[in-house]
Amino acid sequence: MESEEYLQCPYDKAHQISESRMQVHLGPCRRNHAAVSKAPCPFNVTHILNKPELEFHVRSCPDRKAFENFCNIDNAPTKAAKPPPVSEYQFPENWDDEPRVNSYNPCEYASEAPILRSLNGAKPSDRKKFRQEERLRLQVSLKVN
């Protein structure tokens, strides 16, 4: 396994944190040292500095170059390919011109179709009344068919 580089915590010099865990460590350590006047770098949140040193660091931060390349893709040394322009797609059909259709209501369909229904979550007396109404509804619908 590769040995990982350890960094010194900006809040407590006794803390030695692996580079991959630094961002996780900074949250609780920042809360424990709330009285300390420090500010994060705008280009990398793991760069925590005293407020007077921040302006100098921002001018010379190694992560600034990557940020500026991202913002100014035309000036980037690698000149990443720009995506081709997207032409506007013309739809051959217009759904607004089609005739209006009523939406499907499953409760309405089930109340008219010869299928078995049940009433869940109601009081026993309501369920009993519903079953009686369903028997009558099904008898009528079977006689008609």
Side-chain angles (χ1 to χ4, degrees):
M1 186 162 30
E2 295 179 28
S3 62
E4 199 166 1
E5 183 181 342
Y6 286 91
L7 303 173
Q8 189 177 51
C9 174
Y11 294 104
D12 189 345
K13 304 297 180 198
H15 295 168
Q16 296 294 315
I17 316 303
S18 66
E19 190 173 5
S20 64
R21 300 287 299 165
M22 179 58 85
Q23 191 169 358
V24 175
H25 169 81
L26 287 174
C29 207
R30 182 180 301 117
R31 287 189 295 273
N32 291 341
H33 298 88
V36 178
S37 172
K38 298 216 180 231
C41 169
F43 306 114
N44 187 336
V45 293
T46 61
H47 297 169
I48 307 292
L49 301 129
N50 294 324
K51 289 189 178 179
E53 299 169 354
L54 183 63
E55 187 178 337
F56 174 76
H57 173 80
V58 166
R59 283 191 242 124
S60 62
C61 180
D63 294 326
R64 180 183 182 142
K65 182 178 180 182
F67 175 76
E68 287 180 353
N69 285 344
F70 177 77
C71 289
N72 303 319
I73 196 139
D74 293 334
N75 299 333
T78 56
K79 279 275 191 178
K82 288 185 179 178
V86 179
S87 62
E88 189 174 319
Y89 182 74
Q90 298 295 326
F91 296 102
E93 59 185 341
N94 185 355
W95 290 2
D96 293 332
D97 294 341
E98 294 182 9
R100 186 146 183 89
V101 177
N102 292 337
S103 62
Y104 173 71
N105 184 346
C107 294
E108 186 178 314
Y109 172 78
S111 68
E112 296 171 1
I115 58 172
L116 295 176
R117 299 187 309 163
S118 63
L119 183 63
N120 296 324
K123 294 186 291 186
S125 61
D126 293 339
R127 287 197 309 261
K128 184 176 181 180
K129 182 180 176 188
F130 179 79
R131 281 194 304 269
Q132 289 173 346
E133 291 171 356
E134 282 296 290
R135 281 189 198 108
L136 291 174
R137 182 184 67 85
L138 290 173
Q139 287 174 358
V140 171
S141 69
L142 291 177
K143 287 180 184 176
V144 172
N145 293 335

